[in-house]
Amino acid sequence: MAVTESLAVQMHQQDTSYYCGAACAQMVLETIGAGLLDQDDLYADNHSHSTLDAGVNWATGPDGLQWTLMDRRPPAFTNYFALYALDTEDLLSRKLCWTIRHYQVAPVALVYGWAHWIVVRGYTASAHPASSADNTYTIDAFDINNPWPPTPSEANPALAPPPPHSVGDGCGSGGDRGIANEHVTYATWRSTYMTGVPGGYWNGKFVAVCDPEPPAERGGPMREAPPRRGNGELLGARAVVDLAVAGLKAYGLYERKDWGAILRKAKPAAGVLVQRLDRTDNFYSVVPFQAGRGTVAFAAVDGRWGDYLQAALLPKPQTAWLTLEQAFKLIVGRRVELGEQRGRLLVRKQAVCMYPYLVWRPCLESLSPFYPFYMFTIGGRRVYVRVDGAVFASLTLNMKGV
């Protein structure tokens, strides 16, 4: 029977598009008694002490984040934060589990290559780790706090607070932006999140700031992959609903106090297909769970094979995503700024090609698979409309610690 360890870590969104490291430091430091520290100050510490990888322009480098957590920890907290850059994601993932279980502190992990920092606040496994060196258990899933998207006040200061942040400040509460409670299967963790640093000082390593004890040895068991249910063809919008519900039940989310209370009252709607732009022939479907007039949870399954991938719980109902038709109307007749002094593009109705599926890849404009885009082609240009209505003329790639 699987066991779960989950820490109470209040969600705080990042105040700018590149403050993920500061937001993660804010969340972790708050849980160990440091109070709610200002993200501007935390980012200044992170950035100025990111020095080991001088050839890479880190927003928050691993060494900078470790320095800040060590420097800002309160006197009563006598443990240490250690930076780990390990050879495999399995070794790194076991460090995360031990830090959560033994030290009751949430570690911070570098995901999407070297793009982004998230807080890992819980896990589900075949057994709790008995020591930092234990490699006898299998990991089923992680619970995370992803500080993206930025607070709404980044784009419009009139929408503050936050910042400043406070207890119960609404970050990740399920309003227009932010997701406070995400569940990621270990298979998805390995394939999408923990993919390894692609260059620089930590090239080929898997990185997190954890407890100071030695890591486990190689060779621990892995959770067996579930049997494939599809035939490789794209699954229909209704077909994925049963697969999403089955996945949530298989991972015990209906039995959890926080998840179950909401899921049992919600009804799943038809799935929405999303294509990964950074992978060949890779799709996932998002199934919204609705209660009343709003969406209270999402579950994602593989768009071809039906494997359950991950889920997000929204404590407050969200409005529905834009439809393709609504996204189209949003840009037609609009002049879209191309950036880098390349001028503006007038989107003419007769010259637009609409891609039939939503699309996503990790980028500065979306660091969550639950915020995909509609994609439109105008001649040789692309325009992306995120499901919350934000419009972009391009996607920003190759971020480092944002």
Side-chain angles (χ1 to χ4, degrees):
M1 182 176 178
V3 298
T4 296
E5 186 79 31
S6 184
L7 304 179
V9 181
Q10 181 177 334
M11 172 69 174
H12 291 291
Q13 291 168 245
Q14 56 196 75
D15 290 341
T16 77
S17 62
Y18 55 94
Y19 269 20
C20 68
C24 289
Q26 184 183 57
M27 286 187 267
V28 173
L29 288 166
E30 181 188 18
T31 65
I32 63 173
L36 268 173
L37 305 181
D38 182 77
Q39 286 190 26
D40 288 335
D41 293 339
L42 293 170
Y43 179 77
D45 283 348
N46 289 348
H47 189 66
S48 63
H49 290 89
S50 298
T51 58
L52 283 177
D53 202 2
V56 174
N57 183 26
W58 286 92
T60 291
D63 52 330
L65 179 60
Q66 182 206 14
W67 189 95
T68 300
L69 290 172
M70 287 292 292
D71 183 67
R72 296 299 188 108
R73 61 190 171 138
F77 184 81
T78 57
N79 293 323
Y80 291 85
F81 292 99
L83 169 60
Y84 282 90
L86 302 179
D87 291 337
T88 70
E89 53 76 26
D90 178 63
L91 294 176
L92 197 281
S93 296
R94 293 179 188 280
K95 281 298 301 174
L96 303 177
C97 292
W98 177 247
T99 302
I100 294 166
R101 174 64 175 173
H102 184 71
Y103 288 90
Q104 294 290 290
V105 175
V108 184
L110 187 63
V111 298
Y112 304 145
W114 52 11
H116 190 50
W117 293 102
I118 62 171
V119 173
V120 184
R121 56 177 182 75
Y123 66 85
T124 301
S126 61
H128 293 302
S131 69
S132 66
D134 187 1
N135 68 353
T136 63
Y137 61 96
T138 59
I139 303 170
D140 289 351
F142 283 112
D143 296 296
I144 67 171
N145 281 6
N146 182 349
W148 192 93
T151 56
S153 55
E154 180 203 29
N156 182 1
L159 296 177
H165 291 267
S166 61
V167 175
D169 59 15
C171 280
S173 63
D176 290 336
R177 295 160 70 91
I179 300 172
N181 195 343
E182 296 189 55
H183 177 263
V184 181
T185 69
Y186 191 51
T188 304
W189 177 255
R190 296 175 62 207
S191 65
T192 297
Y193 288 82
M194 187 57 58
T195 54
V197 178
Y201 184 85
W202 292 282
N203 183 38
K205 300 295 185 179
F206 300 84
V207 175
V209 179
C210 304
D211 72 88
E213 293 192 44
E217 297 292 332
R218 288 176 180 262
M222 304 290 288
R223 190 180 198 270
E224 290 187 11
R228 286 278 163 98
R229 309 198 183 197
N231 59 7
E233 298 299 320
L234 295 178
L235 298 171
R238 297 304 310 179
V240 297
V241 172
D242 291 342
L243 296 170
V245 172
L248 293 170
K249 289 182 177 179
Y251 279 85
L253 294 184
Y254 274 86
E255 306 308 315
R256 290 199 195 180
K257 184 178 180 180
D258 51 354
W259 287 82
I262 292 176
L263 290 175
R264 285 191 290 270
K265 297 177 182 178
K267 293 184 178 181
V272 181
L273 192 65
V274 184
Q275 183 171 9
R276 287 286 297 259
L277 292 178
D278 56 335
R279 295 181 178 175
T280 301
D281 201 26
N282 188 286
F283 300 82
Y284 64 94
S285 287
V286 177
V287 176
F289 286 72
Q290 298 173 338
R293 297 183 178 180
T295 300
V296 295
F298 293 110
V301 301
D302 188 284
R304 295 177 59 200
W305 303 106
D307 303 338
Y308 165 69
L309 304 176
Q310 62 188 107
L313 187 64
L314 312 174
K316 295 181 181 179
Q318 278 191 3
T319 55
W321 287 354
L322 290 178
T323 65
L324 177 60
E325 292 73 20
Q326 289 171 330
F328 177 68
K329 291 179 180 178
L330 190 63
I331 63 169
V332 166
R334 174 173 175 171
R335 296 183 185 273
V336 178
E337 176 63 52
L338 297 176
E340 298 181 356
Q341 299 181 338
R342 291 176 295 176
R344 295 185 297 174
L345 171 67
L346 174 60
V347 180
R348 301 180 187 276
K349 182 177 181 179
Q350 299 85 348
V352 179
C353 292
M354 299 186 292
Y355 195 68
Y357 306 122
L358 285 161
V359 299
W360 182 76
R361 66 170 301 165
C363 58
L364 189 65
E365 293 73 24
S366 177
L367 286 161
S368 167
F370 295 113
Y371 276 84
F373 307 89
Y374 292 104
M375 184 171 67
F376 302 91
T377 303
I378 303 98
R381 301 284 185 184
R382 287 181 177 179
V383 173
Y384 302 88
V385 181
R386 204 167 58 200
V387 290
D388 60 353
V391 178
F392 307 97
S394 62
L395 301 181
T396 307
L397 312 177
N398 202 27
M399 310 83 63
K400 302 169 183 70
V402 302

